Amino acid sequence: MIRKPFPSAALLLGLAITGALADGGDPVRGEKVFQYCYSCHSVQPDEINLQGPNLHGIVGRRIASQEGFSYSPALRGFAQEEDRWSEALLDRYLTAPYKLVPKTSMAFPGIEAQDERADLIAYLRSMGEHL
């Protein structure tokens, strides 16, 4: 009888992690990463009275476009250069907001870990793309 080796748990875990990153992150893990954001932002469609704009449907949405929200002059200027929040642009912004949008009023240093950013963007995407 020829026995085929069973893949090790570490190999299987590595494949699962690689798969999650390759497909654009994991929204379940991204919900946990969203804890960095929840004190100022919401993803609930009707919740708008927070310090930051609502992030429901942020993927694909026009930059600085939430009705009634007072965006900083820096972000309004950025919106003149970039049209919409693509996943790639969100990734760049979430890495270091002050580097992408100098003088932004968002007091958040960014998320260094690429996998955390991918998971967060997957979570935001799962909260409804803006069409």
Side-chain angles (χ1 to χ4, degrees), residues 56-62 65 84 125 127-131:
H56 179 81
I58 190 72
V59 178
R61 184 168 79 194
R62 288 188 169 285
S65 65
R84 295 182 181 272
R125 183 179 58 240
M127 300 313 301
E129 287 193 10
H130 190 279
L131 303 174

Side-chain angles (χ1 to χ4, degrees), residues 28-46:
V28 173
R29 289 192 312 252
E31 184 175 11
K32 292 176 184 159
V33 178
F34 187 74
Q35 291 182 12
Y36 290 131
C37 317
Y38 83 96
S39 65
C40 296
H41 299 278
S42 176
V43 292
Q44 301 306 313
D46 298 328

Side-chain angles (χ1 to χ4, degrees), residues 23-89:
D23 70 2
D26 181 336
V28 173
R29 289 192 312 252
E31 184 175 11
K32 292 176 184 159
V33 178
F34 187 74
Q35 291 182 12
Y36 290 131
C37 317
Y38 83 96
S39 65
C40 296
H41 299 278
S42 176
V43 292
Q44 301 306 313
D46 298 328
E47 195 169 7
I48 57 172
N49 294 323
L50 293 172
Q51 185 176 358
N54 187 294
L55 300 179
H56 179 81
I58 190 72
V59 178
R61 184 168 79 194
R62 288 188 169 285
I63 297 169
S65 65
Q66 179 181 309
E67 290 282 328
F69 187 80
S70 180
Y71 291 94
S72 69
L75 199 60
R76 287 194 313 268
F78 182 69
Q80 299 298 313
E81 300 169 17
E82 298 283 345
D83 186 45
R84 295 182 181 272
W85 286 115
S86 67
E87 291 182 31
L89 188 58

